[in-house]
Amino acid sequence: MADADFDVLILGAGSGGYACALRAAQLGLKVGLVEKGNLGGTCLHVGCIPTKALLHAAEVADSARESEQFGVNATFEGIDMAGVNSYKDGVVSRLFKGLTGLIKGRGITVIEGEGRLTGPKQVTVGDTAYTGAHVVLASGSYSKSLPGLDVDGERVITSEHALRLESVPKSVIVLGGGVIGCEFASVWKSFGAEVTIIEALPRLVAVEDEASSKALERAFRKRKINFKVGTRFHSVKSTNDSVAVTVEGANGEQSVIEADLLLVAVGRGPSTAGLGYEEQGIAMERGFVLADERCRTNVEGVYAVGDIVPGLQLAHRGFQQGIFVAEEIAGLAPQPIDEAGIPRVTYSHPEIASVGLDEAKATEKYGTDGIESITYDLGGNGKSQILKTSGFVKLIRQKDGPVIGVHLVGDRVGELIGEAQLIYNWEGHAEDVAPLIHAHPTQNEALGEAHLALAGKALHAHS
Ligand code: FAD
């Protein structure tokens, strides 16, 4: 399309859209970026960044509360939510300023307003139609609810409302024991609230290896975070100052739980309704946009990235897809993304981090006799003892083959996932990793020790 307004026209400036814009502009392409809200999208404004700021404040609260065990005399006087919010908002606003400057500096045209796909290569905002030789759909996701469960933003809230609370609730029911639900449960418990998680599946964070879920459950039990798994939401009654939630256990028995608030964290749906995708012949399934491994939709020249594409709804996945598409359009023929190689972290206390296959999927793929696994307890890791955290490193490898899954539990283990994902993505063998030197004392050493154990050379390893 020689006469298009842009080489690349992107609908949505979240992690997927803005990464695509930055890389495309860097490659010398003319970029239009349509955004109805704030540059940076969910992750920056109401997702990853503000929640991790809350989790850090929660860690500080725990440190103050537990200071005595380190011989430090400090008293925990409670949470000043205004102060917490100002710290959180400060982090977001600094990053937002930086991103806005970058986008401007790269000469990207930001088109403010709600866009709609009105032709295969055309996005209309208000009365103006813009064309792109290539179009990238990156409209993101929203918090879902359940049938019959109305979010009022007061007593029944989503994660967006939860990020704007002006005081710490006395008690909260968290509907959904996935990543977002467990992170908020962890924060609120550290802030002093009574927390109960309701999860329909048989375990918390069920996308993770079963051993990781069980370890998190043990830790949550110890922290007195209540949770009911295999339990479904039935109904809710709200009054001015509380909610009464009726839930149903696996045996059909109903019970009522009361709290100040109900957080609905039952997953995120694709933001695609009413945007003209279907009308333009884009293949969709349950509202998601179908894209192949090169992020191409079925309509030539139209790509899709991020949460609207079925798969892991993670910022770094969308980000990488955005970069991939920019390079694809520029003719660099990049390598497709291996979805199993995308690192995953739940930033609760303790954290869960993983990359590659869990034991169930590895067994399904290679058979019980085709894999080997080893679990190294953080009890043998000096830095973890210093931090007074417990957990493990679990490695799964193909028999006599590369490492195909790494699963970590413990405070701060999210920081170790970078090395784990390099091992996975480079198809490292335990024998390759075992001789690598890890600085002492670090939690990284646990990864080294676990690989030593898997290579049959355990020094401190428990199995
Ligand atoms: P989004 O970030 O949702 O961006 C889409 C953008 O498109 C938005 O800015 C929206 O305003 C815009 N848009 C939509 N429709 C239109 C339209 N018609 N016209 C113009 N603009 C439009 N992921 C992690 O990796 N790590 C985490 O720690 C993490 N924590 C999270 C915590 C919470 C509470 C939540 C909700 C999410 C979290 N995520 C996390 C997920 C992460 O935020 C998403 O995976 C990521 O933001 C997806 O990026 P995206 O570009 O697909 O969509």
Side-chain angles (χ1 to χ4, degrees), residues 7 56 59 77 97 163 176 188 199 275 290 293 300 306 373 394 444 448:
D7 298 319
H56 183 66
E59 188 184 335
E77 305 275 351
K97 224 168 136 191
L163 285 166
W188 280 323
E199 170 56 57
L275 300 191
L290 298 179
E293 60 163 17
E300 209 255 308
S373 82
K394 175 174 173 177
N444 273 86

Side-chain angles (χ1 to χ4, degrees), residues 370-383:
I371 61 163
E372 284 172 322
S373 82
I374 190 158
T375 301
Y376 172 76
D377 194 308
L378 289 188
N381 174 253
K383 186 61 187 267

Side-chain angles (χ1 to χ4, degrees), residues 11-17 34-38 41-43 46-48 51-52 113-115 138-141 159 180 184 268 275 305-307 313-316 347:
L11 183 53
S15 309
V34 181
E35 174 55 56
K36 66 175 180 178
N38 289 320
T42 303
C43 171
V46 288
C48 329
T51 50
K52 267 77 256 179
E114 189 154 351
S139 46
S141 62
S159 58
I180 292 176
F184 272 104
R268 294 183 64 81
L275 300 191
V305 299
D307 284 6
Q313 291 177 313
L314 291 172
H316 42 283
Y347 296 85

Side-chain angles (χ1 to χ4, degrees), residues 299-328:
V299 175
E300 209 255 308
V302 180
Y303 298 81
V305 299
D307 284 6
I308 57 169
V309 180
L312 291 169
Q313 291 177 313
L314 291 172
H316 42 283
R317 170 180 177 255
F319 196 84
Q320 200 56 36
Q321 288 173 329
I323 293 171
F324 175 91
V325 167
E327 295 187 351
E328 179 83 349

